[in-house]
Amino acid sequence: MPSLENHAPKILISEDDISRRVDELAAEISADYAGKGEIVLLGVLKGAFILLADLSRRLTIPRSIEFIAVSSYEDGSMPSGAVRLVMDVRGSIEGKHVLIVEDIVDTGHTLHYLIDMLKSREPASIRTCVLLHKEHSTEVELDIDYLGFTIGDEWVVGYGLDYAEQDRTLPYIGVVKPQ
Ligand code: PRP
């Protein structure tokens, strides 16, 4: 496992590249939803908080903000990949256009669980906006509607992503060097 002492994440995606890509995603989303009324930006805590903040401020369409938190079962009580809801959205999403905002899709179980669960609440639509996709690690079929970058199977930190709660506020996406 990477050590937290004196580590210096190698830059994988620079602050400028992230900013440019978020600009593009915001423009695409704004164009796609134009004229459809308000969308609900649903950030998945904790990792999505920075993407949500940046994306939401670049959109040119009416939007409201919600958060949800999930966690995987790590105590062996459930099959691997099982996800549980830790904090629900405050308001109803029935009849609303929901855009789930995620920092990363790895195995895909989290996003798969969320889409299934939210669909049962009868929103007008559900789409997904994800900054990073570890394509080769994904175990379930998923459509990501708005994707920032595809990455390899590396431990990444920064721009919301952590290693043991460290490095979430790095302005770039870095790779923690294995030691
Ligand atoms: C990360 C990330 C996604 C999930 C993706 O969350 O923010 O929600 O893992 O993994 P998956 O595709 O394998 O399901 P994490 O559990 O690290 O929590 P955090 O966002 O609070 O750091």
Side-chain angles (χ1 to χ4, degrees):
M1 292 294 264
S3 159
L4 286 179
E5 304 255 334
N6 303 320
H7 77 293
K10 186 184 79 175
I11 296 179
L12 182 68
I13 306 170
S14 71
E15 187 175 358
D16 281 353
D17 286 347
I18 296 171
S19 179
R20 268 193 294 272
R21 191 71 191 110
V22 175
D23 278 346
E24 289 168 0
L25 291 172
E28 200 183 332
I29 292 165
S30 297
D32 288 355
Y33 285 96
K36 292 189 175 172
E38 184 179 279
I39 68 167
V40 178
L41 293 173
L42 180 54
V44 185
L45 294 173
K46 300 177 191 173
F49 78 110
I50 291 183
L51 173 61
L52 184 78
D54 283 351
L55 184 71
S56 61
R57 289 178 294 175
R58 286 159 153 102
L59 295 175
T60 56
I61 49 172
R63 63 277 192 192
S64 64
I65 309 292
E66 289 279 356
F67 287 100
I68 199 163
V70 291
S71 173
S72 43
Y73 289 88
E74 282 163 1
D75 57 4
S77 65
M78 296 287 279
S80 141
V83 176
R84 73 190 162 96
L85 187 63
V86 173
M87 188 195 88
D88 207 343
V89 294
R90 283 203 194 161
S92 165
I93 58 162
E94 190 179 338
K96 298 184 178 167
H97 293 291
V98 175
L99 181 62
I100 302 173
V101 180
E102 257 289 28
D103 53 337
I104 188 165
V105 167
D106 186 352
T107 65
H109 290 294
T110 302
L111 197 55
H112 190 260
Y113 165 86
L114 280 172
I115 292 169
D116 258 17
M117 196 256 296
L118 295 168
K119 264 186 187 164
S120 69
R121 301 181 184 184
E122 301 181 350
S125 67
I126 296 189
R127 288 187 189 173
T128 53
C129 177
V130 176
L131 185 69
L132 305 173
H133 185 199
K134 283 191 187 178
E135 203 174 37
H136 296 296
S137 309
T138 303
E139 298 168 359
V140 291
E141 194 136 323
L142 271 182
D143 283 331
I144 299 173
D145 299 289
Y146 305 99
L147 174 63
F149 304 92
T150 300
I151 60 169
D153 188 17
E154 297 159 304
W155 192 296
V156 283
V157 293
Y159 203 74
L161 291 117
D162 74 310
Y163 174 72
E165 293 303 324
Q166 303 302 302
D167 292 333
R168 286 196 197 274
T169 55
L170 282 178
Y172 59 89
I173 298 292
V175 178
V176 183
K177 290 177 192 160
Q179 301 204 333

